[in-house]
Amino acid sequence: MRFFPNPWCGRMRRHHPGPHGGPHGGGRHAAEGGCGHERHERRGGRGGRRGVFESSELRLVLLRLIADEPRHGYDLIRAVEELTGGGYVPSPGVIYPTLSLLEEMGHIAKADAEGARKPFVVTPDGAGQLVQDKDTVDALFARLATLATRREHTDGAPIRRAMENLRAVLMHRLGREGVDADTVHAAVSIIDEAAQRIERLP
């Protein structure tokens, strides 16, 4: 059994052998049990979203991306980030164990290429899996596109500028000496009213 190591994670169950033996509990055990980075990803991760993909769904997403072109683990992280417009960035602690599991399942393999870092390519079994799960894969990539659209609408430059402007004004006005409770309450009321008006927008 081969295990594709995660260079960012130094705690791959060093003291607890996995079901396939070895000090790190690699392969399927690592992909499903993971390390500290993977637990962080399930809580929200770098993309700040909880539950974007189940483990089986992420396998299909990575498999499809590798089928499109040979990729390393870092390439896959960047590819998902680009597809979602930065709305979701999977952590290395999730990507690398998932790649290890895909390789163990026979769905991907190291490319016959020069250099130490060989990209992954899809195998015939992996290509067959994508055909079998085509509808699911299409739905998953539609979800990625939805995240990108949502990111564009809620995290665009005009929104960021307005939020920074509000923050600066609040710090300047309420940071003065002698600001009384009535002024603070008035500022809070203005913000609450603005939030309600935005909520009622068509």
Side-chain angles (χ1 to χ4, degrees), residues 90-109:
S91 74
V94 168
I95 291 292
Y96 284 92
T98 304
L99 288 173
S100 175
L101 181 55
L102 282 169
E103 188 177 17
E104 183 180 332
M105 295 168 68
H107 289 170
I108 61 174

Side-chain angles (χ1 to χ4, degrees), residues 95-157:
I95 291 292
Y96 284 92
T98 304
L99 288 173
S100 175
L101 181 55
L102 282 169
E103 188 177 17
E104 183 180 332
M105 295 168 68
H107 289 170
I108 61 174
K110 298 283 184 59
D112 185 13
E114 297 181 358
R117 293 181 66 243
K118 299 182 185 299
F120 285 101
V121 295
V122 70
T123 65
D125 284 348
Q129 189 69 49
L130 287 173
V131 172
Q132 178 180 326
D133 292 328
K134 182 182 183 303
D135 291 344
T136 300
V137 172
D138 289 345
L140 291 173
F141 275 78
R143 191 188 306 175
L144 291 172
T146 299
L147 286 176
T149 301
R150 186 182 305 162
R151 173 81 168 185
E152 181 181 352
H153 290 168
T154 61
D155 197 36

Side-chain angles (χ1 to χ4, degrees), residues 170 173-174 178-194:
L170 286 172
R173 182 64 183 86
L174 301 184
V179 173
D180 57 22
D182 288 342
T183 300
V184 173
H185 291 157
V188 170
S189 295
I190 292 171
I191 296 172
D192 286 342
E193 180 182 356

Side-chain angles (χ1 to χ4, degrees), residues 57 78 163:
E57 294 175 334
R78 296 283 74 84
M163 294 295 292

